[in-house]
Amino acid sequence: MANPVILSVDDDPAVSRAVARDLRRRYGDRYRVVRASSGPEALEALREVKLRGEQAALLLADYRMPEMTGIEFLEAAMDLFPAARRVLLTAYADTGAAIDAINLVDLDHYLLKPWHPPEEKLYPVVDALLEAWSATPDAGATEIRVVGHRWSAESFAVRDFLARNLVPYRWLLVDDPEAGRLLAAAGVTANDVPLVVTADGKALVAPTEAELAALVGLTVAPAADFYDLVVVGGGPAGLGAAVYGASEGLRTVLVERLATGGQAGQSSRIENYLGFPDGVSGAQLTDRARRQALKFGAELLSTREVVGLEEAGSARLLRFSDGQTLAAHAVVLATGVSYRMLDAPGLADFAGRGVFYGSAASEAPSCVGAEVYIVGGANSAGQAAMYFCRYAQRVHLLIRGADLTASMSRYLIDQLDRVDQVTVHPYTEVTAGAGDEHLQRLTLRDTRTGEQREVDASWLFVFIGAEPRTGWLDGTLVRDDRGFVVTGPDLVASGRRPPGWSLPRDPYHLESSVPGVFAAGDVRAESVKRVASAVGEGAMAVSLVHRYLEAQ
């Protein structure tokens, strides 16, 4: 197979030659370096690469070019090679435009010209991007095809699982000619979808999450029966605990029910995370953290649901939904929270068929030219509004309060104010949904006057409240009245330790009412619901695990 392509485009011949020269010097033995002098020329080169069945790993484009700007080129190139890493070459005066491009084309990085010396300013950036690309290769190399109905909850579940696990796939509606050929080859009909077909021709009809995980190469079974540390939950706190646990010598396994990243992994853009001044998408942050955990030797288990926790002498025993168990010296609970269901007549019938909880980024391309409704006033809802306004004709943000200031970060409010396609509707709630095969109408109510109105709507995304996933801990750990895990000093009341506490010391800061079981991130009572604090608590939990183990 031909080497993957690194393509650079710049209308300045001197700059174009310099970029290609520096790239060939470092990467010419592993990649084919292609250069172009304009956006249209570069797009034509990419089309030829696509037709030859080759892969594009990295695209570097100058911001200021005639005919087509670098941003316009990168946006068009995403249709051909969505997995290719994207870099904008820019002068210092244009850094504002480069930052704006992060939201428009999901830019991975921008480089200021000149980039000399390349050993300091070019190669470290390119090395990191090529490493990230090699971990998630272009869809053309290992293309998975999904055949399904537009308004099928089962089809949505398959696509959502693949998207959250960063698995490239091609989506085909059942009436597409190619879909018909795949259905015929698999010996099934349109009534049997969703159908998943791998690049080597293996077909699965209505697969379970576990079957999908095995199909795409995710690990579903632990390599051992006993570990130093089991982390339950793969959001920022869980990934942080896995990285620090494995890097500090603990035999670590992370168990995730659906996909690593949690709610943060679904975010289109996180802009207030320390160390990422240009912002980072939830998918990018998740991908980097996942690869970092694997690099240090942590095991990551997918599609495994933990339903029980027991003390077994000095060990802690976790029980899976299939009856299997896993034991460890210590446990970090990082199960996060889930969005609450919107309790309005008719909406439950359309879950996955027009009503979605969370951003459901896989649905965004289908919203082109449509009216999208988002319920919620916190950062997750604002980030979703910014993301969906790239596709939708208009995004309606429905909030119960007077404005967004009580629950949303200022930077995000300012961004929404600058986008004409987003309309904020204060004092508004959804009271009903209706439709035939999918959501088609919403009933909205003004909470001040009680006046109701009906609107045509096929897309509703809900971001309301947060409920901890701790029902499986009933009778095992102390939780507050909302279900969050109580830890540390909050467990000691009037000098008395929690019932059943067996050690001659108070619980450590993040330790639960069961010694050796710690909680980190959103699942912990009174935690700060931010990505950075969740990562910090995951790291802190590991330091407390070490202290716990040393005392055993």
Side-chain angles (χ1 to χ4, degrees), residues 318-365:
L318 293 167
R319 188 172 66 258
F320 294 126
S321 57
D322 61 3
Q324 293 185 340
T325 59
L326 192 62
H329 289 300
V331 174
V332 172
L333 301 174
T335 50
V337 294
S338 58
Y339 292 114
R340 291 203 303 267
M341 303 290 285
L342 186 57
D343 186 18
L347 292 186
D349 298 333
F350 300 114
R353 296 188 296 129
V355 178
F356 306 93
Y357 291 86
S359 65
S362 60
E363 299 303 290

Side-chain angles (χ1 to χ4, degrees), residues 37 48 52 76 126 153 164 176 181 238 255 283 297-298 301 321 359 371 421 461 483-484 490 507 538 549:
S37 59
E48 292 181 9
R52 287 196 294 264
V126 175
R164 291 193 186 198
D176 185 284
R181 289 188 286 270
V255 181
L301 305 185
S321 57
S359 65
E371 303 269 330
Q421 299 102 301
F461 299 88
F484 292 92
D490 293 335
L549 294 177

Side-chain angles (χ1 to χ4, degrees), residues 44-218:
E44 184 60 32
L46 282 182
R47 292 188 186 100
E48 292 181 9
V49 171
K50 189 74 173 180
L51 289 174
R52 287 196 294 264
E54 299 175 7
Q55 301 176 62
L58 179 66
L59 310 175
L60 302 94
D62 182 51
Y63 171 60
R64 290 185 178 273
M65 294 188 295
E67 297 184 77
M68 177 182 286
T69 68
I71 295 174
E72 291 170 339
F73 161 71
L74 292 174
E75 187 173 20
M78 288 174 68
D79 294 332
L80 294 169
F81 293 98
R85 302 295 161 163
R86 293 171 286 276
V87 176
L88 197 66
L89 302 175
T90 181
Y92 181 79
D94 295 322
T95 52
I99 293 172
D100 291 340
I102 291 170
N103 289 319
L104 182 62
V105 297
D106 203 14
L107 195 68
D108 291 292
H109 204 89
Y110 68 84
L111 283 171
L112 294 178
K113 298 186 293 185
W115 56 87
H116 297 294
E119 289 75 14
E120 295 180 11
K121 298 184 178 180
L122 176 65
Y123 296 152
V125 171
V126 175
D127 285 346
L129 293 177
L130 290 177
E131 180 184 354
W133 174 83
S134 65
T136 53
D138 185 89
T142 56
E143 184 175 65
I144 289 176
R145 289 152 291 177
V146 179
V147 178
H149 291 292
R150 164 65 279 177
W151 299 112
S152 161
E154 294 78 13
S155 297
F156 164 71
V158 168
R159 291 184 290 122
D160 189 52
F161 179 85
L162 294 174
R164 291 193 186 198
N165 283 284
L166 308 179
V167 178
Y169 69 91
R170 181 183 174 198
W171 166 237
L172 298 167
L173 293 173
V174 292
D175 54 1
D176 185 284
E178 176 65 12
R181 289 188 286 270
L182 291 173
L183 290 170
V188 297
T189 70
N191 296 324
D192 300 313
V193 296
L195 172 70
V196 179
V197 183
T198 64
D200 59 4
K202 183 177 181 180
L204 288 178
V205 177
T208 64
E209 289 175 352
E211 290 173 332
L212 275 176
L215 183 74
V216 301
L218 299 176

Side-chain angles (χ1 to χ4, degrees), residues 470-513:
T470 58
W472 58 282
L473 294 169
D474 282 345
T476 304
L477 300 183
V478 174
R479 298 178 297 151
D480 66 13
D481 56 2
R482 295 184 298 162
F484 292 92
V485 177
V486 180
T487 60
D490 293 335
L491 289 167
V492 181
S494 302
R496 292 193 301 272
R497 293 164 183 152
W501 185 260
S502 59
L503 300 180
R505 61 165 176 82
D506 290 347
Y508 294 139
H509 179 60
L510 300 180
E511 197 168 19
S512 73
S513 58

Side-chain angles (χ1 to χ4, degrees), residues 495-544:
R496 292 193 301 272
R497 293 164 183 152
W501 185 260
S502 59
L503 300 180
R505 61 165 176 82
D506 290 347
Y508 294 139
H509 179 60
L510 300 180
E511 197 168 19
S512 73
S513 58
V514 172
V517 177
F518 300 82
D522 290 359
V523 73
R524 191 178 68 82
E526 305 303 324
S527 65
V528 178
K529 305 300 189 279
R530 288 290 185 267
V531 175
S533 61
V535 173
E537 287 195 5
M540 185 189 302
V542 171
S543 70
L544 296 173

